Amino acid sequence: MIKKIAHIGIAVKDLEKQAKFYHETLGFSFEGYEDLPKRGLKIGLFAIGGVRIELLQPTGTDSAIAKFLEEKGEGVHHLAFEVRDIKGELGRLKAAGVELIDSEPRPGVGEAMIAFLNPKSTGRVLIELCEAKNH
Ligand code: ZN
């Protein structure tokens, strides 16, 4: 079952500028930057009240985030829900008729395992399931 909101992914063009906004202006705690070269992404991690914000900036032109920015501009990209057993949850949702983008979990930020649901099945919200390493 879903436990809580793990994070909110936000597509940004200028990571430093938005990092300043979340950290200095809004007062979120800054948890660090992470480079994901395979996914063509640089990520800034922030937290407040147990919820994390991930600012997602593309480092090239061929990532999903680069495409999103080109088509829709900056803004909320996805919601991530924390689950205890991601494989089990994917099986349960599939059986309930939910279309999956990732039928198998794959590595995400901070050694979590993640999988995305198809927005066609979720009222056009991109939802990520996330199983933290130590839960
Ligand atoms: Zn995410």
Side-chain angles (χ1 to χ4, degrees), residues 25-110:
T25 310
L26 295 182
F28 283 54
S29 62
F30 172 65
E31 300 201 319
Y33 290 114
E34 197 159 324
D35 271 306
L36 299 177
K38 277 187 198 156
R39 286 169 64 198
L41 277 183
K42 187 171 179 184
I43 296 181
L45 302 166
F46 302 83
I48 201 152
V51 175
R52 187 185 251 184
I53 298 278
E54 293 186 359
L55 301 182
L56 311 162
Q57 183 195 277
T59 51
T61 53
D62 60 350
S63 68
I65 299 298
K67 203 175 149 211
F68 178 89
L69 284 172
E70 202 174 286
E71 287 172 5
K72 298 183 180 163
E74 291 182 300
V76 173
H77 178 259
H78 67 272
L79 298 182
F81 299 140
E82 194 174 310
V83 297
R84 209 176 288 275
D85 167 19
I86 192 166
K87 276 200 169 206
E89 196 64 16
L90 284 172
R92 188 181 75 80
L93 291 171
K94 195 176 176 186
V98 176
E99 279 187 54
L100 310 176
I101 291 177
D102 301 299
S103 51
E104 289 293 321
R106 58 187 170 91
V109 172

Side-chain angles (χ1 to χ4, degrees), residues 7 54 78 80 116 128:
H7 64 264
E54 293 186 359
H78 67 272
F116 284 94
E128 171 189 334

